[in-house]
Structures are given as C-alpha cells and as structure tokens.
Amino acid sequence: MELLEVVYNAIEDRLGENIVVINLEKVNPFNDYMVICSASNGRKAMAIVNNIKDEAFKHGYDVRTIEGDEQSDWILIDLYSVIVHVFVDGQRDVYNLENLWLDQPRVKMPL
C-alpha cells in the first residue's frame, strides 16, 4: 500500500476531519505530498498521530520526526515523502496552510 493511502486511511480511522491532500512533487524536492486535517481536541489529534505512526510502521515506512504533543494545537509528522499537519479545531484557520499552497494541485482521495 502506498504511504499516502496509509496516512489517509489512518486519519479516517481516527475520525480526522476536513482532510486535504496537496501534491508538492513539482515544487518541493523533499516531500511529494502534504496532508492537512483537523481534530476536535488535543487527545483526538494525538490519537490520529499515533495511528499514522503505527500504520506507517506496520506497512514498512519510517517516521522521520513528530513535532508537538497532546497540548499542542498543531502537530507535524514527517514521513519523508509525506508531511502531515494535524490541527486542533480553530488553529487550522489561523495558519491557513491550504491558501499558502493554493497554486498546487489537490489529490482526490482515496486513490
């Protein structure tokens, strides 16, 4: 299973909300995709993060780093070719990453 599918399914399994996948292949030499999602609180955000990590390992993928914890409003997971941003409700609008990358194509999921 492709890493992007693993990540997307792991987010859906833990009821992540408003999942957006952005294709960065033409503009970023380090990451192919950026995935952005929301969670209603810090505990739910960490459940999403932990499920992504567990599912990635289960399918043979490595996690480079995780920035943030249950008290964070924004948690970043670096899986090398896929970067995941998990926002606690309200914070996603503050940073508005989707608009920063508005000129890049969105990926319809599931693949």
Side-chain angles (χ1 to χ4, degrees):
M1 183 179 287
E2 185 178 320
L3 177 58
L4 184 58
E5 290 177 282
V6 170
V7 167
Y8 187 86
N9 291 338
I11 294 169
E12 278 201 323
D13 286 348
R14 292 299 179 263
L15 305 177
E17 301 167 2
N18 302 322
I19 306 168
V20 173
V21 179
I22 302 170
N23 186 324
L24 302 176
E25 291 175 304
K26 293 184 179 177
V27 296
N28 189 326
F30 305 107
N31 313 107
D32 295 333
Y33 299 99
M34 176 187 301
V35 180
I36 304 168
C37 71
S38 299
S40 56
N41 57 56
R43 180 174 282 165
K44 189 171 179 181
M46 279 310 297
I48 292 168
V49 168
N50 288 331
N51 199 43
I52 291 169
K53 180 180 67 172
D54 294 345
E55 289 297 312
F57 286 143
K58 187 165 90 173
H59 287 87
Y61 297 102
D62 292 324
V63 174
R64 180 182 289 170
T65 189
I66 297 174
E67 297 290 333
D69 58 26
E70 195 171 305
Q71 281 71 46
S72 302
D73 292 331
W74 177 3
I75 304 169
L76 179 137
I77 310 160
D78 185 344
L79 298 152
Y80 294 92
S81 65
V82 177
I83 292 286
V84 183
H85 300 275
V86 181
F87 287 98
V88 174
D89 280 348
Q91 292 304 305
R92 185 172 177 169
D93 294 334
V94 171
Y95 295 100
N96 206 5
L97 291 182
E98 288 98 327
N99 279 346
L100 290 175
W101 296 97
L102 197 57
D103 59 339
Q104 298 309 306
R106 300 314 193 242
V107 178
K108 283 190 145 287
M109 296 296 290
L111 292 176

